[in-house]
Amino acid sequence: MTTASTAIPLRAVVDDDALHLDVVADSLRAGALDRPVRWAHVSELRNPGPYLLGGELLLTAGVNLADARADVDDYVRGLLDAGITALGFGVTPPMHDALPEALREACVRHGLPLLVVPPRTPFLAISRAVALALADAAQREQRRVAVAREALIKAAADGLRPLVRALGRQLGAWVVLAGRHDEAVAEHGAPARWPAELPELLARLRAGRGIRSATTELADGTALLAQPVSPQATASQLLVLGRRERFDATERSIVAVGAGLLGLAGRARDAPLSAATTALLLGSAPPEEVLPRLLTGEEYRVVAGTPTRRRAADDLADHDWLCTRLRTPLVQLAGGGFTAITDCCPAPEVLSAVRERGWLPVVSRRLRADAVPRAGPEVEAVLDRARSLGRPVVAERAGLSTVVRPEAASAFAAELLAPLRALGPDRRGLVDTLRTWLAHHGSWERTATALGVHRNSVRHRIGQVERALGVDLADPETRMELWFALRWDEDGGAPGGSRGSAVGGELR
Protein backbone atom coordinates (compact mmCIF):
# COMPACT_ATOMS: atom_id res chain seq x y z
CA MET A 1 0.00 0.00 0.00
CA THR A 2 1.48 3.31 -1.06
CA THR A 3 1.08 6.59 0.78
CA ALA A 4 1.10 10.22 -0.30
CA SER A 5 4.75 10.44 0.72
CA THR A 6 5.89 7.34 -1.21
CA ALA A 7 7.91 8.17 -4.32
CA ILE A 8 10.38 6.65 -6.74
CA PRO A 9 13.15 8.48 -8.61
CA LEU A 10 12.52 9.37 -12.25
CA ARG A 11 15.47 7.17 -13.26
CA ALA A 12 13.51 4.10 -12.06
CA VAL A 13 11.02 4.77 -14.88
CA VAL A 14 13.62 5.77 -17.48
CA ASP A 15 15.74 2.67 -16.79
CA ASP A 16 12.80 0.27 -17.19
CA ASP A 17 13.79 -1.47 -20.47
CA ALA A 18 10.27 -2.84 -20.95
CA LEU A 19 8.95 0.69 -21.52
CA HIS A 20 11.43 1.65 -24.29
CA LEU A 21 11.42 5.32 -23.31
CA ASP A 22 13.76 7.84 -24.93
CA VAL A 23 15.00 10.79 -22.87
CA VAL A 24 15.58 14.19 -24.44
CA ALA A 25 18.98 14.67 -22.87
CA ASP A 26 19.03 18.45 -23.32
CA SER A 27 15.93 18.76 -21.12
CA LEU A 28 17.70 17.27 -18.11
CA ARG A 29 19.24 19.56 -15.53
CA ALA A 30 21.53 18.41 -12.74
CA GLY A 31 19.77 15.84 -10.52
CA ALA A 32 16.73 15.63 -12.79
CA LEU A 33 16.71 11.82 -12.83
CA ASP A 34 16.62 11.81 -9.03
CA ARG A 35 13.45 13.90 -8.87
CA PRO A 36 10.55 12.04 -7.18
CA VAL A 37 7.69 10.50 -9.13
CA ARG A 38 4.58 10.02 -7.00
CA TRP A 39 2.19 8.91 -9.74
CA ALA A 40 1.71 8.65 -13.52
CA HIS A 41 -1.24 10.57 -14.90
CA VAL A 42 -2.69 11.02 -18.40
CA SER A 43 -4.15 14.38 -19.43
CA GLU A 44 -4.92 16.00 -22.78
CA LEU A 45 -6.07 19.28 -21.25
CA ARG A 46 -4.42 22.47 -22.46
CA ASN A 47 -4.02 23.55 -18.83
CA PRO A 48 -4.03 20.48 -16.54
CA GLY A 49 -2.23 22.32 -13.70
CA PRO A 50 -5.29 22.91 -11.47
CA TYR A 51 -5.98 19.15 -11.47
CA LEU A 52 -2.47 18.03 -10.45
CA LEU A 53 -0.98 17.49 -6.99
CA GLY A 54 2.69 17.73 -7.91
CA GLY A 55 5.29 15.04 -8.44
CA GLU A 56 3.47 13.41 -11.35
CA LEU A 57 4.87 11.90 -14.51
CA LEU A 58 2.36 13.51 -16.86
CA LEU A 59 1.57 11.60 -20.05
CA THR A 60 0.07 13.21 -23.15
CA ALA A 61 -0.40 12.33 -26.83
CA GLY A 62 -0.62 16.02 -27.73
CA VAL A 63 -4.28 15.78 -28.76
CA ASN A 64 -4.88 19.42 -27.85
CA LEU A 65 -1.31 20.65 -28.09
CA ALA A 66 -1.23 24.19 -29.51
CA ASP A 67 0.59 24.97 -32.74
CA ALA A 68 1.97 28.37 -31.76
CA ARG A 69 5.34 28.24 -30.00
CA ALA A 70 4.25 30.86 -27.47
CA ASP A 71 1.24 28.74 -26.48
CA VAL A 72 3.42 25.63 -26.15
CA ASP A 73 5.82 27.63 -24.00
CA ASP A 74 2.93 28.67 -21.75
CA TYR A 75 1.84 25.03 -21.53
CA VAL A 76 5.28 23.90 -20.31
CA ARG A 77 5.58 26.73 -17.81
CA GLY A 78 2.12 25.86 -16.46
CA LEU A 79 3.23 22.25 -15.92
CA LEU A 80 6.31 23.39 -14.03
CA ASP A 81 4.20 25.69 -11.86
CA ALA A 82 1.98 22.70 -11.05
CA GLY A 83 5.07 20.83 -9.81
CA ILE A 84 5.13 17.86 -12.16
CA THR A 85 8.33 15.83 -12.26
CA ALA A 86 8.49 15.02 -15.97
CA LEU A 87 6.46 15.04 -19.17
CA GLY A 88 6.02 11.91 -21.28
CA PHE A 89 4.99 12.58 -24.88
CA GLY A 90 3.41 9.71 -26.80
CA VAL A 91 4.24 9.61 -30.52
CA THR A 92 0.92 8.53 -32.06
CA PRO A 93 0.77 8.57 -35.88
CA PRO A 94 -0.96 10.00 -37.78
CA MET A 95 -1.55 12.76 -35.16
CA HIS A 96 2.17 13.15 -34.35
CA ASP A 97 4.77 11.20 -36.32
CA ALA A 98 7.53 12.64 -34.16
CA LEU A 99 8.14 14.81 -31.14
CA PRO A 100 6.94 18.38 -31.89
CA GLU A 101 9.96 20.68 -32.12
CA ALA A 102 8.19 23.48 -30.26
CA LEU A 103 7.57 21.17 -27.29
CA ARG A 104 11.16 19.97 -27.28
CA GLU A 105 12.49 23.53 -27.32
CA ALA A 106 10.18 24.66 -24.52
CA CYS A 107 11.12 21.72 -22.28
CA VAL A 108 14.82 22.30 -22.91
CA ARG A 109 14.43 26.02 -22.28
CA HIS A 110 12.64 25.59 -18.96
CA GLY A 111 14.36 22.42 -17.75
CA LEU A 112 11.32 20.13 -17.73
CA PRO A 113 12.47 16.49 -18.18
CA LEU A 114 10.94 15.21 -21.43
CA LEU A 115 10.44 11.53 -22.25
CA VAL A 116 9.45 10.25 -25.69
CA VAL A 117 7.01 7.34 -25.55
CA PRO A 118 7.11 5.15 -28.70
CA PRO A 119 3.86 3.91 -30.34
CA ARG A 120 4.45 0.36 -29.10
CA THR A 121 4.32 1.46 -25.42
CA PRO A 122 0.78 2.17 -24.19
CA PHE A 123 0.34 4.76 -21.45
CA LEU A 124 -1.31 2.06 -19.36
CA ALA A 125 1.97 0.13 -19.31
CA ILE A 126 3.76 3.19 -17.91
CA SER A 127 1.05 3.78 -15.29
CA ARG A 128 1.22 0.13 -14.24
CA ALA A 129 5.03 0.16 -14.06
CA VAL A 130 4.97 3.28 -11.89
CA ALA A 131 2.28 1.81 -9.62
CA LEU A 132 4.27 -1.41 -9.14
CA ALA A 133 7.46 0.50 -8.46
CA LEU A 134 5.67 2.67 -5.90
CA ALA A 135 4.26 -0.43 -4.18
CA ASP A 136 7.75 -1.94 -4.01
CA ALA A 137 9.11 1.33 -2.63
CA ALA A 138 6.39 1.41 0.02
CA GLN A 139 7.23 -2.12 1.09
CA ARG A 140 10.92 -1.24 1.31
CA GLU A 141 10.05 1.78 3.44
CA GLN A 142 7.93 -0.35 5.74
CA ARG A 143 10.69 -2.93 6.08
CA ARG A 144 13.24 -0.22 6.82
CA VAL A 145 11.03 1.33 9.48
CA ALA A 146 10.36 -2.11 10.99
CA VAL A 147 14.06 -2.95 11.16
CA ALA A 148 14.87 0.45 12.67
CA ARG A 149 12.03 0.13 15.18
CA GLU A 150 13.33 -3.24 16.37
CA ALA A 151 16.86 -1.86 16.79
CA LEU A 152 15.63 1.20 18.65
CA ILE A 153 13.40 -0.82 20.97
CA LYS A 154 16.37 -3.02 21.93
CA ALA A 155 18.49 0.07 22.57
CA ALA A 156 15.75 1.72 24.63
CA ALA A 157 16.00 -1.08 27.17
CA ASP A 158 19.47 0.22 28.08
CA GLY A 159 18.45 3.87 28.59
CA LEU A 160 18.47 7.24 26.88
CA ARG A 161 22.07 7.39 25.70
CA PRO A 162 22.10 3.98 23.97
CA LEU A 163 18.79 4.89 22.33
CA VAL A 164 20.14 8.21 21.05
CA ARG A 165 23.25 6.44 19.78
CA ALA A 166 21.17 3.79 17.98
CA LEU A 167 19.00 6.47 16.34
CA GLY A 168 22.07 8.28 15.06
CA ARG A 169 23.49 5.07 13.58
CA GLN A 170 20.20 4.17 11.88
CA LEU A 171 20.06 7.53 10.12
CA GLY A 172 23.75 8.34 9.72
CA ALA A 173 23.24 11.58 11.64
CA TRP A 174 24.41 13.30 14.77
CA VAL A 175 21.71 13.45 17.45
CA VAL A 176 21.09 15.65 20.49
CA LEU A 177 18.34 15.23 23.07
CA ALA A 178 17.89 18.77 24.42
CA GLY A 179 16.35 19.44 27.84
CA ARG A 180 13.94 22.16 28.87
CA HIS A 181 16.76 24.71 29.07
CA ASP A 182 18.28 23.54 25.75
CA GLU A 183 21.03 21.65 27.54
CA ALA A 184 22.20 18.33 26.05
CA VAL A 185 20.61 15.48 28.04
CA ALA A 186 22.12 12.85 25.70
CA GLU A 187 23.95 13.07 22.37
CA HIS A 188 25.64 11.08 19.65
CA GLY A 189 28.35 12.53 17.41
CA ALA A 190 27.16 16.09 18.00
CA PRO A 191 29.46 18.97 17.00
CA ALA A 192 31.55 20.52 19.75
CA ARG A 193 29.70 23.79 19.23
CA TRP A 194 26.03 23.76 18.39
CA PRO A 195 25.08 25.50 15.12
CA ALA A 196 24.13 29.15 15.62
CA GLU A 197 20.76 28.46 13.99
CA LEU A 198 19.83 25.77 16.51
CA PRO A 199 18.54 27.98 19.39
CA GLU A 200 16.10 29.72 17.05
CA LEU A 201 14.91 26.35 15.75
CA LEU A 202 14.31 25.07 19.29
CA ALA A 203 12.55 28.28 20.31
CA ARG A 204 10.22 27.92 17.33
CA LEU A 205 9.37 24.39 18.41
CA ARG A 206 8.75 25.34 22.04
CA ALA A 207 6.47 28.18 20.96
CA GLY A 208 4.28 25.89 18.83
CA ARG A 209 1.40 23.68 19.79
CA GLY A 210 0.33 20.18 18.83
CA ILE A 211 2.36 17.58 16.98
CA ARG A 212 5.07 19.44 15.09
CA SER A 213 8.60 19.39 13.73
CA ALA A 214 10.98 21.98 12.36
CA THR A 215 13.67 21.81 9.70
CA THR A 216 16.32 24.13 8.36
CA GLU A 217 19.47 23.95 6.26
CA LEU A 218 22.71 25.50 7.46
CA ALA A 219 25.08 27.52 5.34
CA ASP A 220 27.49 24.56 5.17
CA GLY A 221 24.75 22.32 3.73
CA THR A 222 23.88 20.50 6.97
CA ALA A 223 20.19 19.59 7.20
CA LEU A 224 18.65 19.93 10.67
CA LEU A 225 15.51 18.19 11.85
CA ALA A 226 13.98 18.76 15.29
CA GLN A 227 10.79 17.69 17.04
CA PRO A 228 9.48 17.22 20.60
CA VAL A 229 9.77 13.78 22.12
CA SER A 230 6.52 11.80 22.25
CA PRO A 231 4.01 10.61 23.32
CA GLN A 232 3.09 14.19 24.26
CA ALA A 233 3.82 17.01 21.82
CA THR A 234 4.07 19.38 24.79
CA ALA A 235 7.02 17.45 26.21
CA SER A 236 9.88 19.62 27.44
CA GLN A 237 12.62 17.62 25.70
CA LEU A 238 13.41 18.14 22.03
CA LEU A 239 15.12 15.74 19.63
CA VAL A 240 17.56 17.31 17.14
CA LEU A 241 19.32 15.54 14.24
CA GLY A 242 21.77 16.83 11.67
CA ARG A 243 23.57 15.47 8.61
CA ARG A 244 24.54 16.44 5.05
CA GLU A 245 21.56 14.88 3.27
CA ARG A 246 17.97 15.91 3.84
CA PHE A 247 15.71 13.50 5.73
CA ASP A 248 13.13 11.77 3.55
CA ALA A 249 9.66 10.65 4.59
CA THR A 250 10.81 7.18 5.67
CA GLU A 251 13.57 8.64 7.81
CA ARG A 252 11.11 11.04 9.38
CA SER A 253 9.03 8.00 10.35
CA ILE A 254 12.09 6.49 12.02
CA VAL A 255 12.70 9.77 13.85
CA ALA A 256 9.09 9.67 15.06
CA VAL A 257 9.64 6.15 16.41
CA GLY A 258 12.81 7.30 18.15
CA ALA A 259 11.05 10.33 19.62
CA GLY A 260 8.29 8.12 21.00
CA LEU A 261 10.74 5.71 22.60
CA LEU A 262 12.79 8.57 24.03
CA GLY A 263 9.65 9.97 25.64
CA LEU A 264 8.86 6.62 27.23
CA ALA A 265 12.47 6.02 28.27
CA GLY A 266 12.65 9.50 29.75
CA ARG A 267 9.42 8.92 31.65
CA ALA A 268 10.77 5.68 33.09
CA ARG A 269 13.96 7.47 34.08
CA ASP A 270 12.11 10.36 35.73
CA ALA A 271 9.39 8.28 37.39
CA PRO A 272 11.04 8.56 40.85
CA LEU A 273 10.97 12.35 40.51
CA SER A 274 7.18 12.46 40.49
CA ALA A 275 7.09 10.60 43.79
CA ALA A 276 9.83 12.80 45.23
CA THR A 277 7.37 15.64 45.84
CA THR A 278 5.28 13.52 48.17
CA ALA A 279 8.36 12.06 49.84
CA LEU A 280 9.79 15.51 50.53
CA LEU A 281 6.52 16.92 51.83
CA LEU A 282 6.08 13.94 54.12
CA GLY A 283 9.64 14.24 55.39
CA SER A 284 10.57 10.77 54.23
CA ALA A 285 13.58 12.03 52.25
CA PRO A 286 16.36 14.46 53.26
CA PRO A 287 15.39 17.56 51.23
CA GLU A 288 18.66 19.40 51.85
CA GLU A 289 20.40 16.53 50.04
CA VAL A 290 17.81 15.73 47.38
CA LEU A 291 16.56 19.12 46.18
CA PRO A 292 19.92 20.66 45.19
CA ARG A 293 20.52 17.68 42.90
CA LEU A 294 17.15 18.11 41.18
CA LEU A 295 16.83 21.89 41.04
CA THR A 296 19.39 24.67 40.77
CA GLY A 297 18.13 27.25 43.30
CA GLU A 298 18.95 27.70 46.97
CA GLU A 299 15.34 28.48 47.89
CA TYR A 300 12.22 26.64 46.81
CA ARG A 301 8.50 27.07 46.37
CA VAL A 302 5.69 24.56 46.68
CA VAL A 303 3.11 25.05 43.93
CA ALA A 304 -0.24 23.34 44.33
CA GLY A 305 -3.44 23.31 42.31
CA THR A 306 -6.97 22.29 43.17
CA PRO A 307 -9.23 21.26 40.26
CA THR A 308 -11.82 23.81 39.12
CA ARG A 309 -13.71 21.36 36.95
CA ARG A 310 -14.35 17.64 36.85
CA ARG A 311 -11.24 16.01 35.48
CA ALA A 312 -10.61 12.59 33.99
CA ALA A 313 -8.04 10.28 35.51
CA ASP A 314 -4.65 11.92 35.95
CA ASP A 315 -2.90 11.60 32.60
CA LEU A 316 0.64 11.95 31.33
CA ALA A 317 -0.20 14.91 29.12
CA ASP A 318 -1.06 17.00 32.20
CA HIS A 319 2.13 15.87 33.92
CA ASP A 320 4.32 16.88 30.97
CA TRP A 321 2.45 20.16 30.58
CA LEU A 322 2.95 21.10 34.23
CA CYS A 323 6.62 20.07 34.18
CA THR A 324 7.17 22.34 31.19
CA ARG A 325 5.21 25.35 32.49
CA LEU A 326 6.51 25.19 36.07
CA ARG A 327 10.05 24.28 34.93
CA THR A 328 10.47 21.42 37.34
CA PRO A 329 10.47 17.62 37.17
CA LEU A 330 8.97 17.46 40.66
CA VAL A 331 5.28 17.28 39.81
CA GLN A 332 2.75 14.89 41.28
CA LEU A 333 -0.84 14.50 40.10
CA ALA A 334 -3.34 13.13 42.58
CA GLY A 335 -7.10 13.33 42.97
CA GLY A 336 -7.46 15.77 40.09
CA GLY A 337 -5.07 18.27 41.69
CA PHE A 338 -1.31 18.58 41.66
CA THR A 339 1.64 19.44 43.86
CA ALA A 340 5.04 20.58 42.61
CA ILE A 341 8.34 21.84 43.96
CA THR A 342 10.20 24.45 41.96
CA ASP A 343 13.14 26.81 42.49
CA CYS A 344 11.41 29.89 41.08
CA CYS A 345 8.09 31.66 41.51
CA PRO A 346 5.86 31.06 38.45
CA ALA A 347 5.05 34.23 36.53
CA PRO A 348 1.46 35.54 36.61
CA GLU A 349 0.91 34.44 33.01
CA VAL A 350 1.98 30.90 33.96
CA LEU A 351 -0.50 30.83 36.83
CA SER A 352 -3.18 32.10 34.45
CA ALA A 353 -2.35 29.31 32.00
CA VAL A 354 -2.57 26.74 34.83
CA ARG A 355 -5.97 28.13 35.75
CA GLU A 356 -7.18 27.94 32.15
CA ARG A 357 -6.05 24.31 32.09
CA GLY A 358 -8.46 23.53 34.93
CA TRP A 359 -6.65 24.14 38.24
CA LEU A 360 -6.74 26.97 40.76
CA PRO A 361 -3.03 27.36 41.65
CA VAL A 362 -1.27 28.68 44.74
CA VAL A 363 2.39 29.25 45.48
CA SER A 364 4.01 28.97 48.90
CA ARG A 365 6.45 31.51 50.28
CA ARG A 366 10.16 31.04 49.65
CA LEU A 367 11.45 28.05 51.60
CA ARG A 368 14.82 26.61 52.43
CA ALA A 369 15.22 22.96 51.54
CA ASP A 370 14.81 21.74 55.11
CA ALA A 371 11.54 23.69 55.46
CA VAL A 372 9.86 22.11 52.43
CA PRO A 373 8.55 19.04 54.34
CA ARG A 374 6.72 21.37 56.76
CA ALA A 375 5.02 23.38 54.00
CA GLY A 376 1.92 21.19 53.83
CA PRO A 377 -0.27 23.09 56.34
CA GLU A 378 0.71 26.44 54.84
CA VAL A 379 -0.13 25.27 51.33
CA GLU A 380 -3.50 23.94 52.49
CA ALA A 381 -4.30 27.27 54.16
CA VAL A 382 -3.34 29.22 51.05
CA LEU A 383 -5.46 26.85 48.96
CA ASP A 384 -8.42 27.62 51.23
CA ARG A 385 -7.84 31.32 50.69
CA ALA A 386 -7.58 30.86 46.91
CA ARG A 387 -10.89 28.98 46.87
CA SER A 388 -12.50 31.79 48.86
CA LEU A 389 -11.14 34.49 46.56
CA GLY A 390 -11.60 32.49 43.37
CA ARG A 391 -8.15 33.45 42.09
CA PRO A 392 -4.50 32.27 42.34
CA VAL A 393 -2.61 33.28 45.48
CA VAL A 394 1.14 33.70 45.94
CA ALA A 395 2.40 33.77 49.54
CA GLU A 396 5.41 36.03 49.94
CA ARG A 397 6.22 35.32 53.58
CA ALA A 398 4.64 33.63 56.57
CA GLY A 399 1.79 35.66 58.08
CA LEU A 400 -1.77 35.49 59.29
CA SER A 401 -2.90 34.22 55.90
CA THR A 402 -1.18 30.93 56.61
CA VAL A 403 -2.93 30.34 59.94
CA VAL A 404 -6.29 32.15 59.70
CA ARG A 405 -8.88 30.58 57.44
CA PRO A 406 -10.95 32.95 55.26
CA GLU A 407 -14.28 32.16 56.93
CA ALA A 408 -12.80 32.75 60.40
CA ALA A 409 -11.26 36.04 59.27
CA SER A 410 -14.56 37.21 57.76
CA ALA A 411 -16.47 36.33 60.92
CA PHE A 412 -13.93 38.21 63.06
CA ALA A 413 -14.15 41.32 60.87
CA ALA A 414 -17.96 41.26 60.77
CA GLU A 415 -18.25 41.02 64.55
CA LEU A 416 -15.67 43.73 65.30
CA LEU A 417 -17.02 46.22 62.76
CA ALA A 418 -20.72 45.55 63.34
CA PRO A 419 -21.26 48.76 65.38
CA LEU A 420 -19.92 50.84 62.49
CA ARG A 421 -22.27 49.12 60.05
CA ALA A 422 -25.18 50.01 62.33
CA LEU A 423 -24.47 53.71 61.75
CA GLY A 424 -25.95 53.45 58.26
CA PRO A 425 -25.03 56.23 55.76
CA ASP A 426 -22.29 57.61 58.04
CA ARG A 427 -20.44 54.31 58.02
CA ARG A 428 -18.53 54.76 54.73
CA GLY A 429 -16.89 58.04 55.73
CA LEU A 430 -15.91 56.72 59.14
CA VAL A 431 -14.50 53.50 57.75
CA ASP A 432 -12.42 55.37 55.14
CA THR A 433 -11.14 57.78 57.78
CA LEU A 434 -10.25 54.95 60.17
CA ARG A 435 -8.43 53.02 57.45
CA THR A 436 -6.47 56.07 56.30
CA TRP A 437 -5.64 57.12 59.87
CA LEU A 438 -4.33 53.65 60.73
CA ALA A 439 -2.33 53.50 57.48
CA HIS A 440 -0.66 56.81 58.47
CA HIS A 441 0.14 55.54 61.97
CA GLY A 442 -2.28 57.94 63.68
CA SER A 443 -0.93 61.12 62.09
CA TRP A 444 -3.68 63.76 62.04
CA GLU A 445 -1.94 65.96 59.46
CA ARG A 446 -1.12 63.24 56.95
CA THR A 447 -4.58 61.68 57.30
CA ALA A 448 -6.23 65.04 56.70
CA THR A 449 -4.08 65.64 53.64
CA ALA A 450 -4.84 62.20 52.24
CA LEU A 451 -8.59 62.66 52.76
CA GLY A 452 -8.66 66.32 51.70
CA VAL A 453 -10.30 67.49 54.93
CA HIS A 454 -9.29 69.56 57.96
CA ARG A 455 -7.42 67.77 60.75
CA ASN A 456 -10.19 68.71 63.19
CA SER A 457 -12.60 66.74 60.98
CA VAL A 458 -10.28 63.77 61.30
CA ARG A 459 -10.21 64.10 65.11
CA HIS A 460 -14.01 64.33 65.19
CA ARG A 461 -14.47 61.23 63.01
CA ILE A 462 -11.96 59.15 64.98
CA GLY A 463 -13.80 60.15 68.15
CA GLN A 464 -17.04 58.86 66.58
CA VAL A 465 -15.32 55.57 65.78
CA GLU A 466 -14.06 55.16 69.34
CA ARG A 467 -17.51 55.81 70.77
CA ALA A 468 -19.25 53.51 68.28
CA LEU A 469 -16.86 50.63 68.85
CA GLY A 470 -16.24 51.30 72.53
CA VAL A 471 -12.47 51.14 72.10
CA ASP A 472 -9.42 53.25 72.86
CA LEU A 473 -7.42 53.78 69.65
CA ALA A 474 -4.35 54.75 71.67
CA ASP A 475 -3.99 51.02 72.40
CA PRO A 476 -1.64 49.44 69.76
CA GLU A 477 -3.32 46.02 70.06
CA THR A 478 -6.70 47.58 69.29
CA ARG A 479 -5.23 49.35 66.26
CA MET A 480 -3.76 46.09 65.02
CA GLU A 481 -7.07 44.23 65.35
CA LEU A 482 -8.97 46.97 63.55
CA TRP A 483 -6.40 47.09 60.74
CA PHE A 484 -6.77 43.40 60.02
CA ALA A 485 -10.54 43.56 60.40
CA LEU A 486 -10.75 46.37 57.85
CA ARG A 487 -8.59 44.52 55.35
CA TRP A 488 -10.46 41.23 55.73
CA ASP A 489 -13.83 42.97 55.67
CA GLU A 490 -13.26 44.58 52.26
CA ASP A 491 -12.33 41.34 50.48
CA GLY A 492 -14.25 38.59 52.19
CA GLY A 493 -11.44 37.36 54.39
CA ALA A 494 -8.41 38.15 52.23
CA PRO A 495 -5.69 40.44 53.55
CA GLY A 496 -4.58 42.76 50.79
CA GLY A 497 -8.06 43.46 49.49
CA SER A 498 -9.14 43.83 45.93
CA ARG A 499 -6.36 46.32 45.24
CA GLY A 500 -3.78 43.54 45.47
CA SER A 501 -1.83 45.16 48.32
CA ALA A 502 -0.42 43.06 51.14
CA VAL A 503 -0.48 42.87 54.90
CA GLY A 504 3.18 43.02 55.72
CA GLY A 505 3.96 41.75 52.22
CA GLU A 506 2.10 38.55 53.01
CA LEU A 507 0.15 37.96 49.81
CA ARG A 508 0.57 39.22 46.30
Side-chain angles (χ1 to χ4, degrees), residues 71-416:
D71 292 338
V72 174
D73 194 81
D74 289 342
Y75 171 74
V76 170
R77 284 192 288 109
L79 296 180
L80 285 171
D81 291 342
I84 74 165
T85 294
L87 177 65
F89 186 84
V91 177
T92 54
M95 184 176 300
H96 293 286
D97 295 325
L99 177 67
E101 186 61 22
L103 183 60
R104 188 193 71 79
E105 291 178 356
C107 288
V108 171
R109 183 182 308 113
H110 296 293
L112 176 62
L114 179 59
L115 312 181
V116 180
V117 184
R120 58 177 170 166
T121 302
F123 285 170
L124 181 59
I126 299 176
S127 297
R128 183 176 60 184
V130 170
L132 292 174
L134 287 171
D136 288 341
Q139 290 180 358
R140 288 194 300 271
E141 291 172 358
Q142 292 171 3
R143 284 195 296 269
R144 184 181 177 191
V145 172
V147 170
R149 182 190 295 114
E150 183 177 354
L152 294 176
I153 289 174
K154 289 181 179 179
D158 297 325
L160 289 178
R161 287 179 175 79
L163 177 53
V164 166
R165 185 165 57 249
L167 183 60
R169 288 174 177 171
Q170 286 291 324
L171 299 174
W174 57 260
V175 184
V176 173
L177 180 62
R180 61 175 52 85
H181 301 299
D182 292 349
E183 76 282 4
V185 176
E187 60 182 78
H188 167 71
R193 296 183 61 182
W194 284 14
E197 297 87 347
L198 191 54
E200 181 182 353
L201 188 72
L202 299 184
R204 196 160 76 237
L205 270 177
R206 295 191 190 282
R209 300 183 65 181
I211 298 174
R212 59 204 183 275
S213 63
T215 59
T216 190
E217 188 169 328
L218 307 183
D220 63 0
T222 299
L224 290 184
L225 168 63
Q227 72 173 70
V229 300
S230 299
Q232 304 304 329
T234 55
S236 58
Q237 293 183 337
L238 302 177
L239 181 61
V240 186
L241 301 93
R243 68 178 193 187
R244 288 292 179 180
E245 301 81 18
R246 292 183 179 181
F247 297 90
D248 61 27
T250 302
E251 291 166 332
R252 286 173 178 270
S253 297
I254 295 173
V255 171
V257 172
L261 291 172
L262 282 168
L264 295 174
R267 191 179 309 287
R269 180 201 62 180
D270 291 338
L273 300 182
S274 296
T277 304
T278 302
L280 289 169
L281 286 174
L282 294 176
S284 58
E288 61 276 9
E289 296 181 11
V290 175
L291 281 176
R293 296 203 301 267
L294 301 175
L295 303 170
T296 59
E298 295 181 358
E299 293 184 321
Y300 307 93
R301 302 256 192 175
V302 176
V303 184
T306 184
T308 57
R309 60 173 181 259
R310 187 176 182 86
R311 305 185 66 87
D314 303 324
D315 61 49
L316 300 178
D318 283 339
H319 182 272
D320 282 347
W321 190 90
L322 287 166
C323 286
T324 301
R325 293 304 186 277
L326 301 178
R327 297 186 176 184
T328 175
L330 292 174
V331 174
Q332 183 189 34
L333 292 167
F338 73 87
T339 307
I341 298 177
T342 181
D343 55 7
C344 61
C345 184
E349 56 269 23
V350 173
L351 296 180
S352 296
V354 171
R355 187 175 186 181
E356 291 175 2
R357 185 107 175 166
W359 295 286
L360 181 61
V362 300
V363 183
S364 76
R365 60 191 172 91
R366 290 183 291 271
L367 303 166
R368 296 186 62 83
D370 57 0
V372 170
R374 299 188 296 276
E378 174 185 333
V379 172
E380 284 299 322
V382 180
L383 276 171
D384 284 343
R385 187 167 302 284
R387 294 186 189 99
S388 174
L389 299 177
R391 59 174 171 81
V393 173
V394 179
E396 287 300 343
R397 72 167 184 252
L400 290 181
S401 66
T402 64
V403 295
V404 179
R405 294 184 177 274
E407 56 272 18
S410 296
F412 167 79
E415 181 180 356
L416 188 59

